[in-house]
């Protein structure tokens, strides 16, 4: 039972936050005239020593201590005697754990925001270095229209920007201090909850004691924000894996961020991207796991909720390691501009431009689309690209095609034409790059 019941094996990582909460609670108890000033001082000094002992590994955290809250109190009492037992006045492990996870998660989210900022910077730097790199843009993984590689990278920047926004939202809603809820009904002592909130860096206190101890929305929100972030990274990973294949050959990852094969000497595998893609499943699993744990739980605290920690902790660890390794992998990848450009030349990526040309001559788009389709079919039959057709061939396809169609279907023209806000024209992309750089200067959050 002891082993089954214990959470100390994993919640030990909350020790700093538990002690921070306990120090604040001791101060609140002084204000409520439950502890005398010198008593609180002894408790606080004792807690600081306990923190050092746990950090240095001197304190042994064994299963009979059950969880980090009991462990800290036991270590404190061992140090300062029965006075340690006064600290738990007016609180319960239920409001204590609700506080600790919030404090811990807030710190971790700030770290994740910093790492995400680093990745955004790497994307922007790589985009800046590739302002004139042209690649095929795809739909259905079929070559569709030419785009700038910088534009493609900045699409991921947008995704990460939304991820940052979601994490900040999550922080904002999490910014409530639950102490004072006690086990569930609220504390009978005159605890100054606002004071506790100020001491612990929260903007406000929770409004309902039952909700304070039974709410894990903030953890679920974080897990869903993390899942979406990982989903984005899995998409980028998939592209990196494709691009670095011999079939595409668009990029080459640095040796430092790829591995060889134990049997095939020629292999260079994109392990970082593959692992990031693979770990996405694990993070989704944690989201579903906590949602399922919380499903149908009656109010207020239930021991089921002890199961919140492992999915949360593993998600934090996973997202952090992936973000840490991702930015340098991007920074060190080599881009094969020639190969990308060549790929843009085959596959009729400029067929839409031929149709748009006819639209400018007054033809309804549907008819223009059909005529451009005829041009593509003609090229396939004659093994030519649209750029290779001569004026007579164009004229035979439609009398509206004049001499200037040759220029209109050039890749450069195709790109330059898309100068709508948010489009892939070099001028538009440069504008977006400037905006992104300005945003990045503002910092991680
Ligand atoms: N270890 C518990 C958890 O992680 C702390 C709260 C326990 N409360 C209780 N009344 N048993 O959820």
């Amino acid at each position: 039972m002891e082993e089954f019941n214990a959470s100390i094996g994993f919640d030990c990582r909350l020790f700093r936050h538990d002690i921070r909460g306990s120090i604040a609670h001791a101060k609140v108890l002084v204000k409520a005239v439950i502890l005398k000033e010198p008593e609180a001082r002894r408790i606080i000094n004792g807690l600081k020593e306990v923190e050092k002992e746990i950090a240095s590994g001197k304190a042994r955290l064994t299963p009979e201590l059950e969880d980090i809250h009991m462990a800290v109190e036991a270590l404190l009492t061992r140090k300062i005697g029965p006075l340690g037992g006064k600290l738990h006045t007016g609180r319960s492990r239920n409001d204590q754990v609700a506080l600790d996870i919030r404090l811990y998660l807030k710190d971790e989210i700030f770290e994740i925001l910093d790492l995400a900022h680093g990745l955004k910077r790497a994307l922007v730097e790589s985009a800046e270095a590739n302002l004139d790199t042209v690649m095929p843009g795809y739909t259905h993984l079929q070559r569709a229209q030419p785009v700038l590689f910088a534009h493609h990278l900045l699409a991921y920047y947008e995704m990460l920007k939304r991820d940052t926004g979601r994490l900040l939202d999550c922080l904002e809603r999490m910014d409530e201090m639950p102490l004072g809820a006690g086990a569930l009904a609220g504390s009978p002592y005159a605890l100054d909850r606002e004071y506790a909130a100020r001491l612990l860096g929260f903007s406000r206190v929770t409004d309902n004691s039952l909700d304070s101890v039974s709410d894990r929305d903030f953890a679920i929100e974080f897990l869903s924000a993390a899942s979406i972030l990982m989903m984005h990274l899995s998409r980028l990973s998939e592209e990196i894996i494709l691009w670095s294949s011999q079939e595409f050959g668009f990029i080459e990852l640095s040796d430092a961020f790829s591995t060889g094969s134990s049997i095939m000497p020629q292999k260079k595998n994109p392990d970082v991207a593959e692992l990031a893609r693979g770990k996405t499943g694990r993070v989704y699993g944690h989201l579903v796991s906590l949602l399922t744990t919380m499903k149908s739980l009656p109010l207020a605290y239930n021991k089921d909720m002890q199961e919140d920690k492992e999915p949360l902790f593993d998600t934090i660890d996973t997202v952090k390691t992936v973000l840490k390794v991702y930015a340098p992998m991007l920074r060190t990848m080599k881009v094969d501009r020639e190969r990308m450009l060549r790929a843009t030349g085959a596959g009729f990526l400029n067929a839409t431009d031929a149709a748009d040309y006819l639209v400018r001559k007054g033809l309804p788009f549907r008819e223009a689309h059909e005529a451009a389709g005829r041009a593509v079919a003609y090229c396939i039959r004659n093994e030519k690209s649209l750029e290779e057709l001569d004026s007579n061939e164009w004229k035979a396809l439609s009398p509206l095609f004049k001499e200037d169609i040759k220029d209109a279907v050039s890749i450069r023209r195709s790109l330059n034409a898309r100068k709508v806000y948010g489009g892939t024209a070099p001028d538009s992309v440069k504008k977006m790059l400037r905006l992104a750089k300005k945003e990045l200067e503002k910092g991680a959050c």
Side-chain angles (χ1 to χ4, degrees):
M1 169 59 187
E2 200 172 81
E3 230 171 76
F4 182 65
N5 199 32
S7 54
I8 189 80
F10 47 87
D11 67 14
C12 51
R13 73 158 83 184
L14 297 175
F15 76 96
R16 291 184 199 284
H17 302 89
D18 194 75
I19 289 172
R20 238 166 89 196
S22 293
I23 291 176
H25 184 62
K27 292 181 181 168
V28 169
L29 290 179
V30 172
K31 235 183 147 203
V33 210
I34 294 161
L35 279 184
K36 295 190 190 70
E37 195 63 72
E39 288 178 324
R41 220 171 304 129
R42 274 180 62 207
I43 288 179
I44 291 171
N45 289 338
L47 284 167
K48 286 181 181 161
E49 279 175 43
V50 168
E51 182 172 357
K52 275 191 215 130
E53 281 173 18
I54 300 179
S56 68
K58 203 172 136 207
R60 272 179 30 83
L61 302 174
T62 45
E64 76 275 6
L65 294 171
E66 195 181 328
D67 60 22
I68 190 60
H69 325 293
M70 299 289 262
V72 168
E73 191 181 321
L75 292 168
L76 176 69
T77 308
R78 229 177 270 168
K79 203 170 272 305
I80 66 168
L83 173 63
K86 285 198 178 182
L87 177 62
H88 211 55
T89 318
R91 75 172 181 186
S92 150
R93 278 185 291 157
N94 298 352
D95 55 357
Q96 206 178 342
V97 72
L99 172 76
D100 292 3
I101 309 174
R102 279 182 156 90
L103 286 173
Y104 168 77
L105 192 52
K106 272 170 90 177
D107 284 352
E108 292 294 341
I109 290 180
F110 281 117
E111 277 191 36
I112 291 173
L113 284 168
D114 261 348
L115 291 168
H117 189 255
L119 180 53
K120 282 194 273 186
R121 265 207 336 257
L123 283 165
V124 164
E125 279 164 26
S126 185
E128 193 162 33
N130 284 288
L131 262 172
D132 50 6
T133 307
V134 183
M135 71 180 284
Y138 295 81
T139 63
H140 312 270
L141 202 57
Q142 307 283 323
R143 290 178 190 169
Q145 288 175 348
V147 293
L148 289 184
F149 186 46
H151 193 50
H152 197 112
L153 292 170
L154 288 178
Y156 284 99
Y157 174 80
E158 293 297 321
M159 296 177 220
L160 282 168
K161 211 166 79 181
R162 291 194 294 274
D163 291 324
T164 302
R166 265 184 286 272
L167 289 168
L168 288 171
D169 274 1
C170 185
L171 272 177
E172 155 61 28
R173 247 183 313 280
M174 187 186 306
D175 192 13
E176 293 185 339
M177 204 290 302
L179 284 187
L184 73 161
S187 171
Y189 302 97
L191 305 180
D192 185 343
R193 301 189 61 215
E194 300 285 349
Y195 176 52
R198 276 198 305 281
L199 288 175
L200 292 165
F202 287 92
S203 326
R204 50 189 189 278
V205 297
T206 52
D207 289 330
N208 179 300
S209 63
L210 289 167
D211 182 52
S212 307
V213 290
S214 64
D215 167 35
R216 291 294 181 271
D217 291 7
F218 57 95
I220 294 173
E221 275 192 57
F222 167 74
L223 291 178
S224 60
S227 294
I228 299 174
L229 168 64
M230 288 299 292
M231 179 267 286
H232 292 149
L233 295 181
S234 79
R235 295 182 73 173
L236 181 54
S237 298
E238 174 77 10
E239 302 216 89
I240 286 174
I241 294 160
L242 287 171
W243 292 340
S244 62
S245 70
Q246 286 187 22
E247 282 70 13
F248 277 78
F250 288 179
I251 59 162
E252 191 188 340
L253 294 173
S254 118
D255 286 347
F257 292 95
S258 33
T259 60
S261 152
S262 52
I263 173 164
M264 298 163 283
Q266 85 284 12
K267 285 294 282 290
K268 193 167 169 186
N269 299 326
D271 291 38
V272 169
E274 289 173 295
L275 277 170
R277 187 176 60 178
K279 286 176 190 291
T280 304
R282 167 172 177 159
V283 171
Y284 288 5
H286 293 325
L287 168 64
V288 174
S289 146
L290 189 55
L291 278 170
T292 313
T293 299
M294 296 306 293
K295 175 183 174 293
S296 315
L297 284 189
L299 299 188
Y301 177 84
N302 299 269
K303 193 67 178 246
D304 313 45
M305 289 160 72
Q306 181 164 288
E307 291 293 305
D308 59 357
K309 285 165 210 65
E310 287 158 294
L312 190 63
F313 295 166
D314 188 70
T315 299
I316 290 166
D317 296 346
T318 304
V319 169
K320 278 165 67 179
T321 41
V322 170
L323 285 172
K324 255 181 223 164
V325 70
Y326 225 92
M329 177 193 68
L330 277 187
R331 283 206 169 91
T332 52
M333 82 182 173
K334 272 206 233 100
V335 177
D336 190 337
R337 292 157 196 253
E338 270 311 301
R339 186 94 185 227
M340 281 192 179
L341 188 62
R342 262 207 311 283
T344 316
F348 306 103
L349 282 82
N350 44 2
T352 323
D353 299 293
D356 288 332
Y357 174 93
L358 293 176
V359 166
R360 280 196 299 277
K361 301 275 167 178
L363 210 60
F365 182 77
R366 286 290 162 222
E367 282 171 49
H369 181 274
E370 208 181 297
R374 277 201 307 276
V376 170
Y378 174 86
C379 285
I380 293 172
R381 272 199 311 278
N382 294 283
E383 290 182 13
K384 282 183 168 183
S385 68
L386 288 173
E387 294 94 312
E388 285 163 351
L389 296 185
D390 63 29
S391 315
N392 293 332
E393 288 172 303
W394 278 115
K395 273 180 203 142
L397 287 158
S398 161
L400 290 175
F401 284 125
K402 302 283 184 245
E403 204 52 49
D404 55 351
I405 177 64
K406 297 201 67 85
D407 183 41
V409 295
S410 77
I411 298 295
R412 276 287 147 203
R413 268 300 282 270
S414 170
L415 279 170
N416 289 341
R418 288 172 168 74
K419 54 180 180 288
V420 62
Y421 182 87
T424 196
D427 284 347
S428 299
V429 176
K430 273 184 209 142
K431 193 183 289 164
M432 289 306 163
L433 199 58
R434 271 200 303 277
L435 284 178
K437 283 165 81 176
K438 213 182 260 156
E439 276 162 6
L440 284 177
E441 271 167 29
K442 284 193 229 142
C445 32

